[in-house]
Amino acid sequence: MALAQKKTLPAAEERRRFQRVKVHLLGRYMLPDRREFPCQIINMSPGGLALLAPGIGNVGDRVIAYLDHIGRVEGRITRIIDNGFAMTVGATARKRDKLAAQLTWLANRDILNLPEDRRHDRIIPRNPIAVLTLEDGSKMTCRIIDLSLSGAAIAAENRPPLKSQVLLGRVAARVVRNLEEGFAIEFMHEQHAETLEESVTAR
């Protein structure tokens, strides 16, 4: 693949530090001259990404991008590839951890072709900390990686059994699969966008 053959030292170093995953995300980006273009991300790690794009800048140019499911990222172009370019992702250690969790979820979603993700876009909640009530009535604090009207990805130290019923805030759900740093749940009933975040973070 052209992407793997066209390396520069920064990209090679970045590739050693972070595992890139194949993702198919749409977004928009802005070049230094303030022109904006749509784009499609083809692979990404917490330290960099490659995208297909109609407007290509120069190596070293600063780029600001807004990506579906990820949000705002910025960095600099490291190399030009066929029909696009690769760029670094400038982020704090905390933001990189969050990106790694999001990318794990997105990679699993693509591999498993999960139905809830075809139906609803996923969002990152403003307040990601929530309380999960397990089948036995015990409660644990967890972090919501992302959520949609029909389910959520949860980061937590302990994973409830698959198919067990839980409450995220006051929303009934069941555990449908394990993720690298937690698990995914599917809501029993589709939620309403206006009350979604309030319902899942209710205590």
Side-chain angles (χ1 to χ4, degrees), residues 13 29 169:
E13 288 167 7
Y29 66 96

Side-chain angles (χ1 to χ4, degrees), residues 52-145:
L52 302 178
I56 298 174
N58 301 307
V59 171
D61 279 356
R62 182 167 173 264
V63 178
I64 299 173
Y66 293 88
L67 311 179
D68 289 354
H69 305 290
I70 298 290
R72 183 183 190 273
V73 298
E74 61 179 281
R76 295 190 180 276
I77 296 176
T78 55
R79 65 195 185 284
I80 308 303
I81 62 173
D82 293 339
N83 302 313
F85 58 87
M87 61 179 275
T88 59
V89 171
T92 61
R94 185 162 179 255
K95 178 77 182 290
R96 287 192 200 282
D97 287 344
K98 183 179 176 185
L99 274 173
Q102 290 170 301
L103 291 170
T104 298
W105 167 257
L106 290 166
N108 287 336
R109 180 197 69 167
D110 285 344
I111 291 167
L112 298 173
N113 198 25
L114 303 175
E116 68 267 24
D117 292 286
R118 287 200 299 269
R119 293 200 306 269
H120 301 120
D121 285 339
R122 294 193 158 264
I123 61 168
I124 310 299
R126 288 185 295 272
N127 172 23
I129 304 304
V131 173
L132 194 81
T133 306
L134 307 181
E135 269 188 340
D136 64 3
S138 62
K139 297 178 185 291
M140 68 178 188
T141 302
C142 63
R143 178 172 60 83
I144 301 171
I145 299 170

Side-chain angles (χ1 to χ4, degrees), residues 18-30:
F18 300 108
Q19 180 66 43
R20 287 201 175 206
V21 295
K22 289 183 179 179
V23 290
H24 299 285
L25 298 173
L26 299 178
R28 295 188 65 79
Y29 66 96
M30 185 172 69

Side-chain angles (χ1 to χ4, degrees), residues 1 3 5 14 21-22 29 47 54-55 67 72 79 92 96 112 116 125 143 151 173-174 176 191 197-198 200-201 203:
M1 188 169 81
L3 182 62
Q5 294 163 356
E14 182 265 315
V21 295
K22 289 183 179 179
Y29 66 96
L67 311 179
R72 183 183 190 273
R79 65 195 185 284
T92 61
R96 287 192 200 282
L112 298 173
E116 68 267 24
R143 178 172 60 83
R174 66 174 167 268
V176 291
Q191 300 299 299
E197 289 195 45
E198 180 187 348
V200 297
T201 57
R203 293 171 184 261

